[in-house]
């Protein structure tokens, strides 16, 4: 199955579709979900909170976590997931990288082992303005698995709105690698708003290149992209 691009007239329609998509996957027997954070996912998780979807027999793996933030920090992805989804729709088991691990590289290796034991059925993705997926910034080899990454200035600036100042935004994170993302049986990527246009156009019209990590989805057997932007595959 080739890359599918679905364009919606409104973001409400888009997020309704995304929520129904995930609910259907649960009904079809999907057990392991790769989850994402950020502003793009908040409307989706709100829809899921208000739905009758049951994740109690499912396992989740988050894409990434900041290094150095305690889990109770309001901007840790652990806190984000608890507030946005897990407290309302519990999973059987939730995995996130441990951003406070004494050895971050060892933690990344451990996360890879866990992913190998629990193949992801559906991987949720957003995309950064520079085309990054997860925290895989431009230049990341497609063969990379879960690893420690130094966040670019543009990514830290984009995330600074969630903190009191950019100085509080962590400089490093642990992220699933592009190789992990490609191993998911199915990918659902959401790209909303004009700021994501350049990244999305690189996916649908550009060459596959580490300069825009999103383009690797051209090589995925089953990737679905949802957007409110008027972009066609033609």
């Amino acid at each position: 199955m080739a890359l599918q691009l679905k364009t919606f007239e409104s973001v409400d329609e888009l997020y309704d579709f995304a929520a129904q998509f995930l609910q259907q996957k649960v009904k079809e027997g999907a057990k392991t979900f790769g989850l994402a954070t950020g502003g793009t996912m908040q409307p989706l998780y709100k829809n899921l909170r208000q739905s009758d979807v049951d994740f109690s027999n499912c396992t989740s793996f988050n894409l990434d976590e900041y290094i150095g933030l305690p889990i109770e920090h309001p901007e840790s992805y652990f806190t984000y997931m608890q507030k946005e989804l897990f407290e309302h729709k519990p999973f059987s088991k939730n995995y996130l990288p441990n951003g406070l691990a004494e050895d971050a590289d060892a933690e990344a290796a451990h996360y890879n082992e866990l992913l190998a034991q629990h193949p992801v059925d559906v991987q949720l993705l957003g995309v950064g303005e520079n085309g990054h997926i997860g925290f895989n910034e431009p230049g990341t080899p497609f063969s990379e698995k879960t690893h420690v990454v130094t966040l670019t200035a543009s990514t830290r600036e984009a995330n600074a709105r969630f903190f009191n100042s950019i100085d509080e935004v962590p400089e490093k994170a642990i992220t699933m690698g592009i190789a992990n993302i490609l191993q998911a049986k199915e990918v659902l990527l959401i790209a909303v708003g004009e700021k994501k246009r350049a990244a999305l156009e690189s996916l649908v019209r550009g060459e596959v290149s580490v300069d825009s990590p999103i383009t690797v989805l051209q090589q995925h057997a089953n990737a679905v992209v949802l957007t409110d932007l008027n972009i066609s595959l033609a």
Side-chain angles (χ1 to χ4, degrees):
M1 186 180 295
L3 180 73
Q4 297 181 67
L5 179 67
K6 296 182 181 295
T7 303
F8 296 84
E9 292 293 325
S10 73
V11 292
D12 288 341
E13 291 177 17
L14 184 156
Y15 284 110
D16 285 345
F17 178 92
Q20 291 167 15
F21 181 96
L22 294 178
Q23 291 176 72
Q24 183 61 33
K25 294 304 171 183
V26 174
K27 290 178 182 177
E28 292 173 0
K31 293 294 185 186
T32 306
F33 290 83
L35 302 181
T37 54
T40 297
M41 296 300 155
Q42 286 177 314
L44 171 58
Y45 293 149
K46 180 179 179 181
N47 277 21
L48 291 173
R49 292 197 304 266
Q50 296 171 347
S51 76
D52 60 0
V53 67
D54 183 2
F55 289 116
S56 62
N57 291 318
C58 299
T59 299
S60 74
F61 280 87
N62 262 77
L63 276 168
D64 39 40
E65 179 60 284
Y66 289 120
I67 288 178
L69 289 189
I71 60 173
E72 63 270 15
H73 190 286
E75 298 307 329
S76 76
Y77 289 149
F78 178 93
T79 296
Y80 174 105
M81 291 306 307
Q82 291 296 323
K83 183 175 76 170
E84 296 292 337
L85 189 62
F86 296 157
E87 289 177 356
H88 314 272
K89 295 291 181 180
F91 285 65
S92 172
K93 181 70 176 177
N94 308 119
Y95 293 101
L96 291 91
N98 178 7
L100 290 181
E102 288 186 15
D103 185 333
D105 291 318
E107 172 63 14
H110 174 61
Y111 208 66
N112 277 320
E113 292 172 2
L114 291 171
L115 284 164
Q117 295 166 17
H118 302 274
V120 172
D121 293 306
V122 182
Q123 177 65 59
L124 264 180
L125 287 179
V127 60
E129 293 174 37
N130 63 0
H132 75 251
I133 49 178
F135 274 137
N136 295 286
E137 301 285 2
T140 304
F142 292 158
S143 59
E144 190 81 83
K145 293 187 177 181
T146 309
H147 62 288
V148 175
V149 61
T150 299
L151 303 179
T152 63
S154 62
T155 295
R156 293 183 69 234
E157 287 167 7
N159 289 354
R161 69 187 188 277
F162 300 116
F163 294 80
N164 293 323
S165 75
I166 193 170
D167 294 333
E168 294 185 11
V169 182
E171 296 181 355
K172 293 187 176 185
I174 298 174
T175 185
M176 272 193 215
I178 292 173
N180 300 112
I181 292 168
L182 289 176
Q183 287 170 351
K185 296 173 187 173
E186 192 161 8
V187 170
L188 180 67
L189 183 140
I190 300 174
V192 173
E194 282 297 326
K195 290 184 176 180
K196 305 301 175 72
R197 182 177 291 277
L200 202 55
E201 286 184 341
S202 74
L203 169 62
V204 300
R205 297 201 184 96
E207 302 266 331
V208 177
S209 169
V210 296
D211 294 335
S212 182
I214 190 178
T215 60
V216 77
L217 294 182
Q218 294 179 29
Q219 299 178 345
H220 197 281
N222 195 2
V224 179
V225 178
L226 311 182
T227 185
D228 63 338
L229 298 172
N230 186 20
I231 296 175
S232 70
L233 284 171

